[in-house]
Amino acid sequence: MNNMLFQIFDLVTTFAMMLVFIRFMLQFAGMDARNPMIAPAYKATHIVDVFGRIFPTVAQGRISIAAIVLMFLIRLIDISGKAALMHKGIAPVPLFFTGTTSLLLDFLRMCRYLVIGSIIVSWIVVFTQSQHPIIGIIISLAEPILAPFRRITPNLGMLDLSPMVAFLAFYLLEIFIGGLAASFMQMLG
């Protein structure tokens, strides 16, 4: 019974984290909340607007500090809830550090998945010559992530290396931060 409760708790917190991440990326990409394909995501994450009254947005409203704080709170609830379900306790300092590093790793992982999604969607567009609104949304969400990599990769015409470079960069950052966090956690005890 406890294992099932643990899995349900994990599913709920992961789903909430993914929703808030999508909301963060929608705002980061500057996508309009009035778009009928995007409006449900904005409505489902209305709590970000409530947190937005406390925490400001930066970069002309594109970076939502409220969404970042909410993702951090969801991650803290996830870690402490899982510890409670396993009948273990967790001290505040390791909880804060674990929450911060796991949030960074989750954010990098979700960005990596978004890059993979944009690669797959670009292949779908090339091979089927169709343009569904969801395809445009995925490409628009990935664009702010890929834009810095497009500036540093050479222009090879039809071949765009920026998604591969971005994927590799996010993967290497994930490994580096994970290793750094593991060694720091050993120092904390």
mmCIF file of all heavy atoms in Angstrom, residues 13 23 31 34 63 69 77 79-80 83 86 89 99 111 115 117 134 146 163 171 181 183 188:
data_model
loop_
_atom_site.group_PDB
_atom_site.id
_atom_site.type_symbol
_atom_site.label_atom_id
_atom_site.label_comp_id
_atom_site.label_asym_id
_atom_site.label_seq_id
_atom_site.Cartn_x
_atom_site.Cartn_y
_atom_site.Cartn_z
ATOM 1 N N THR A 13 3.383 14.995 -8.104
ATOM 2 C CA THR A 13 4.392 16.055 -8.035
ATOM 3 C C THR A 13 5.121 16.224 -9.374
ATOM 4 O O THR A 13 5.430 17.351 -9.771
ATOM 5 C CB THR A 13 5.412 15.807 -6.916
ATOM 6 O OG1 THR A 13 6.009 14.520 -7.093
ATOM 7 C CG2 THR A 13 4.758 15.889 -5.551
ATOM 8 N N ARG A 23 4.447 26.183 -18.290
ATOM 9 C CA ARG A 23 4.018 27.574 -18.127
ATOM 10 C C ARG A 23 5.220 28.521 -18.170
ATOM 11 O O ARG A 23 5.181 29.575 -18.811
ATOM 12 C CB ARG A 23 3.249 27.717 -16.810
ATOM 13 C CG ARG A 23 3.007 29.120 -16.345
ATOM 14 C CD ARG A 23 2.102 29.903 -17.321
ATOM 15 N NE ARG A 23 1.962 31.272 -16.917
ATOM 16 C CZ ARG A 23 0.991 31.736 -16.164
ATOM 17 N NH1 ARG A 23 0.029 30.938 -15.741
ATOM 18 N NH2 ARG A 23 0.948 33.000 -15.834
ATOM 19 N N MET A 31 4.814 33.516 -25.671
ATOM 20 C CA MET A 31 3.613 33.045 -26.360
ATOM 21 C C MET A 31 2.378 33.654 -25.711
ATOM 22 O O MET A 31 2.294 33.767 -24.499
ATOM 23 C CB MET A 31 3.578 31.526 -26.354
ATOM 24 C CG MET A 31 4.820 30.963 -27.041
ATOM 25 S SD MET A 31 4.736 29.252 -27.379
ATOM 26 C CE MET A 31 3.580 29.214 -28.698
ATOM 27 N N ARG A 34 -3.793 34.142 -25.010
ATOM 28 C CA ARG A 34 -5.101 34.107 -25.677
ATOM 29 C C ARG A 34 -5.155 33.092 -26.812
ATOM 30 O O ARG A 34 -6.224 32.853 -27.373
ATOM 31 C CB ARG A 34 -5.456 35.496 -26.196
ATOM 32 C CG ARG A 34 -5.671 36.502 -25.072
ATOM 33 C CD ARG A 34 -6.023 37.853 -25.629
ATOM 34 N NE ARG A 34 -4.995 38.352 -26.530
ATOM 35 C CZ ARG A 34 -4.144 39.320 -26.241
ATOM 36 N NH1 ARG A 34 -4.198 39.912 -25.077
ATOM 37 N NH2 ARG A 34 -3.227 39.716 -27.108
ATOM 38 N N ILE A 63 10.728 36.130 -17.995
ATOM 39 C CA ILE A 63 11.202 35.163 -16.999
ATOM 40 C C ILE A 63 10.360 35.324 -15.745
ATOM 41 O O ILE A 63 10.405 36.359 -15.084
ATOM 42 C CB ILE A 63 12.703 35.357 -16.696
ATOM 43 C CG1 ILE A 63 13.508 35.103 -17.961
ATOM 44 C CG2 ILE A 63 13.143 34.433 -15.580
ATOM 45 C CD1 ILE A 63 14.985 35.323 -17.811
ATOM 46 N N VAL A 69 9.972 29.848 -8.328
ATOM 47 C CA VAL A 69 9.732 29.621 -6.899
ATOM 48 C C VAL A 69 8.724 28.495 -6.704
ATOM 49 O O VAL A 69 8.889 27.640 -5.832
ATOM 50 C CB VAL A 69 9.258 30.924 -6.210
ATOM 51 C CG1 VAL A 69 8.728 30.664 -4.824
ATOM 52 C CG2 VAL A 69 10.385 31.935 -6.171
ATOM 53 N N ILE A 77 8.383 19.912 -1.610
ATOM 54 C CA ILE A 77 7.258 19.068 -1.173
ATOM 55 C C ILE A 77 7.482 17.633 -1.625
ATOM 56 O O ILE A 77 7.225 16.695 -0.870
ATOM 57 C CB ILE A 77 5.925 19.630 -1.709
ATOM 58 C CG1 ILE A 77 5.590 20.939 -1.010
ATOM 59 C CG2 ILE A 77 4.792 18.617 -1.555
ATOM 60 C CD1 ILE A 77 4.458 21.716 -1.645
ATOM 61 N N ILE A 79 10.403 16.060 -2.220
ATOM 62 C CA ILE A 79 11.486 15.424 -1.455
ATOM 63 C C ILE A 79 11.044 15.121 -0.028
ATOM 64 O O ILE A 79 11.237 14.010 0.471
ATOM 65 C CB ILE A 79 12.743 16.321 -1.467
ATOM 66 C CG1 ILE A 79 13.301 16.408 -2.880
ATOM 67 C CG2 ILE A 79 13.798 15.788 -0.501
ATOM 68 C CD1 ILE A 79 14.339 17.480 -3.063
ATOM 69 N N SER A 80 10.438 16.108 0.639
ATOM 70 C CA SER A 80 10.037 15.882 2.034
ATOM 71 C C SER A 80 8.872 14.896 2.117
ATOM 72 O O SER A 80 8.802 14.095 3.057
ATOM 73 C CB SER A 80 9.679 17.201 2.714
ATOM 74 O OG SER A 80 8.649 17.851 2.016
ATOM 75 N N ALA A 83 10.309 11.431 1.688
ATOM 76 C CA ALA A 83 11.011 11.055 2.915
ATOM 77 C C ALA A 83 10.013 10.662 3.991
ATOM 78 O O ALA A 83 10.227 9.680 4.722
ATOM 79 C CB ALA A 83 11.895 12.205 3.388
ATOM 80 N N MET A 86 8.576 7.237 3.396
ATOM 81 C CA MET A 86 9.541 6.176 3.710
ATOM 82 C C MET A 86 9.886 6.160 5.195
ATOM 83 O O MET A 86 10.814 5.469 5.599
ATOM 84 C CB MET A 86 10.800 6.343 2.867
ATOM 85 C CG MET A 86 10.569 6.100 1.398
ATOM 86 S SD MET A 86 12.050 6.062 0.372
ATOM 87 C CE MET A 86 12.859 7.593 0.746
ATOM 88 N N GLY A 89 13.362 11.157 8.040
ATOM 89 C CA GLY A 89 13.367 12.609 8.148
ATOM 90 C C GLY A 89 14.472 13.194 7.293
ATOM 91 O O GLY A 89 15.389 12.488 6.882
ATOM 92 N N GLY A 99 16.868 19.991 -2.911
ATOM 93 C CA GLY A 99 15.819 20.626 -3.704
ATOM 94 C C GLY A 99 16.379 21.506 -4.795
ATOM 95 O O GLY A 99 15.903 21.484 -5.937
ATOM 96 N N CYS A 111 14.630 20.728 -20.493
ATOM 97 C CA CYS A 111 15.120 21.467 -21.667
ATOM 98 C C CYS A 111 15.665 20.495 -22.709
ATOM 99 O O CYS A 111 15.454 20.680 -23.917
ATOM 100 C CB CYS A 111 16.198 22.461 -21.263
ATOM 101 S SG CYS A 111 15.558 23.904 -20.405
ATOM 102 N N VAL A 115 14.351 19.946 -26.543
ATOM 103 C CA VAL A 115 15.212 19.942 -27.727
ATOM 104 C C VAL A 115 14.953 18.679 -28.550
ATOM 105 O O VAL A 115 14.842 18.740 -29.781
ATOM 106 C CB VAL A 115 16.701 20.059 -27.328
ATOM 107 C CG1 VAL A 115 17.621 19.779 -28.503
ATOM 108 C CG2 VAL A 115 16.990 21.432 -26.744
ATOM 109 N N GLY A 117 12.194 16.987 -28.610
ATOM 110 C CA GLY A 117 10.881 17.191 -29.215
ATOM 111 C C GLY A 117 10.951 18.079 -30.439
ATOM 112 O O GLY A 117 10.291 17.811 -31.452
ATOM 113 N N ILE A 134 0.167 22.359 -32.763
ATOM 114 C CA ILE A 134 1.032 21.852 -31.689
ATOM 115 C C ILE A 134 2.493 21.862 -32.140
ATOM 116 O O ILE A 134 3.398 22.132 -31.343
ATOM 117 C CB ILE A 134 0.593 20.421 -31.262
ATOM 118 C CG1 ILE A 134 -0.799 20.443 -30.667
ATOM 119 C CG2 ILE A 134 1.590 19.798 -30.313
ATOM 120 C CD1 ILE A 134 -0.914 21.135 -29.339
ATOM 121 N N LEU A 146 17.280 27.189 -28.161
ATOM 122 C CA LEU A 146 18.199 26.928 -29.263
ATOM 123 C C LEU A 146 18.861 28.183 -29.828
ATOM 124 O O LEU A 146 19.908 28.091 -30.471
ATOM 125 C CB LEU A 146 17.453 26.198 -30.390
ATOM 126 C CG LEU A 146 16.958 24.795 -30.047
ATOM 127 C CD1 LEU A 146 16.138 24.234 -31.190
ATOM 128 C CD2 LEU A 146 18.105 23.879 -29.701
ATOM 129 N N PRO A 163 20.508 22.031 -32.408
ATOM 130 C CA PRO A 163 19.852 21.116 -31.468
ATOM 131 C C PRO A 163 20.797 20.055 -30.905
ATOM 132 O O PRO A 163 20.724 19.721 -29.724
ATOM 133 C CB PRO A 163 18.735 20.469 -32.294
ATOM 134 C CG PRO A 163 18.467 21.429 -33.381
ATOM 135 C CD PRO A 163 19.793 22.069 -33.688
ATOM 136 N N TYR A 171 23.260 17.900 -21.571
ATOM 137 C CA TYR A 171 23.644 16.606 -21.007
ATOM 138 C C TYR A 171 24.931 16.722 -20.193
ATOM 139 O O TYR A 171 25.017 16.189 -19.077
ATOM 140 C CB TYR A 171 23.798 15.583 -22.138
ATOM 141 C CG TYR A 171 24.032 14.184 -21.649
ATOM 142 C CD1 TYR A 171 23.024 13.489 -20.990
ATOM 143 C CD2 TYR A 171 25.264 13.567 -21.822
ATOM 144 C CE1 TYR A 171 23.242 12.197 -20.532
ATOM 145 C CE2 TYR A 171 25.490 12.281 -21.367
ATOM 146 C CZ TYR A 171 24.477 11.608 -20.720
ATOM 147 O OH TYR A 171 24.693 10.341 -20.260
ATOM 148 N N ALA A 181 26.989 17.901 -7.109
ATOM 149 C CA ALA A 181 26.021 17.758 -6.024
ATOM 150 C C ALA A 181 26.313 16.512 -5.189
ATOM 151 O O ALA A 181 26.195 16.542 -3.967
ATOM 152 C CB ALA A 181 24.609 17.697 -6.591
ATOM 153 N N SER A 183 29.218 15.018 -4.701
ATOM 154 C CA SER A 183 30.392 15.224 -3.849
ATOM 155 C C SER A 183 30.098 16.210 -2.714
ATOM 156 O O SER A 183 30.608 16.055 -1.608
ATOM 157 C CB SER A 183 31.572 15.711 -4.677
ATOM 158 O OG SER A 183 31.308 16.969 -5.233
ATOM 159 N N LEU A 188 28.235 17.168 3.290
ATOM 160 C CA LEU A 188 27.189 17.514 4.247
ATOM 161 C C LEU A 188 26.882 16.373 5.200
ATOM 162 O O LEU A 188 26.425 16.586 6.308
ATOM 163 C CB LEU A 188 25.887 17.918 3.514
ATOM 164 C CG LEU A 188 25.867 19.293 2.880
ATOM 165 C CD1 LEU A 188 24.569 19.486 2.127
ATOM 166 C CD2 LEU A 188 26.013 20.372 3.920
#
